[in-house]
Amino acid sequence: MRPSWDEYFMDITKVVASRSTCLRRKVGAIIVKDKHIIATGYNGAPSSLPHCAEVGCMREKLQVPSGERHELCLGLHAEQNAIIQAAVHGASVQGGTLYSTTQPCILCSKMLINAGIKRIVFAGPYPDTLALSLLKSAGVELSPWLEEEKP
């Protein structure tokens, strides 16, 4: 059976997540417009810097709970990397859909709103209710992806 567009893009997002260098959570994101992939991103250290697998995770060492103290993390989030990749290549994401293996955090949510993302499909939860509230207030359509809903 042929997958729906959402299923197709969520499957690709899972493959993108496999490139993550984060020791705590592997996240992938893609931005799609008009059924075409504009950009991809996964969480990990900035280009040319050592990955967490090489230098360790500061948040893990300090036992920081998930969703807290983002400034201690060496890595960028998958959503941030997707937005940056689009910018580097001169591609507008305004009006696009973000597919992510995890719900965006508050920092990424603010960036996605300002980038003009209109819809977010996400598979896994994240402990950040403020992010969901902000996205709803901005009129971003939220579509939680549940594996059992796949056709």
Side-chain angles (χ1 to χ4, degrees), residues 12-21 26-29 41-43 101:
I12 293 170
T13 303
K14 292 174 196 170
V15 173
V16 172
S18 72
R19 291 280 306 152
S20 170
T21 59
K26 297 199 177 297
V27 180
Y42 51 86
N43 56 333
T101 57

Side-chain angles (χ1 to χ4, degrees), residues 23-50:
L23 300 175
R24 294 179 71 161
R25 181 190 305 248
K26 297 199 177 297
V27 180
I30 64 172
I31 300 173
V32 174
K33 276 179 72 172
D34 302 321
K35 298 182 179 133
H36 294 279
I37 297 171
I38 302 299
T40 67
Y42 51 86
N43 56 333
S47 298
S48 77
L49 292 181

